[in-house]
Amino acid sequence: MTMKTVEAVYERGVLRPLEQLDLQEHARVEITIRETVRASIHENGSCYDLALKAGIIGCLTAAPADLSSNSDHMAEFGAA
């Protein structure tokens, strides 16, 4: 079984791949949908806003809540 990740655009009820697929006509495939978030130079907002929109804020469960407030994690930060 071959697995491949391809970007697609959803238009008029149909997913349209953004690249050519090496599939036979009428081939059955299984797809997983994950919406992507793209930053734009025209989009207002901070990195935090983009991360929140992407759903990655709070996705780590075994990490300190705030690395910047824990001096052990910041030791020698920026040292050459």
Side-chain angles (χ1 to χ4, degrees):
M1 175 193 304
T2 303
M3 293 181 66
K4 183 175 182 175
T5 300
V6 220
E7 286 194 59
V9 175
Y10 185 70
E11 297 174 326
R12 299 181 182 143
V14 176
L15 285 171
R16 181 179 54 84
L18 297 179
E19 63 183 70
Q20 185 67 33
L21 300 178
D22 186 22
L23 295 171
Q24 293 182 3
E25 193 69 21
H26 304 290
R28 288 186 172 258
V29 297
E30 183 177 298
I31 61 172
T32 301
I33 307 294
R34 182 175 50 120
E35 190 173 2
T36 57
V37 176
R38 300 255 183 231
S40 166
I41 61 170
H42 303 291
E43 188 173 332
N44 293 328
S46 65
C47 288
Y48 176 83
D49 295 332
L50 291 173
L52 188 61
K53 185 175 179 181
I56 60 174
I57 300 294
C59 66
L60 295 177
T61 57
D66 184 357
L67 294 177
S68 67
S69 65
N70 187 327
S71 60
D72 292 340
H73 296 288
M74 297 302 290
E76 298 183 34
F77 178 75

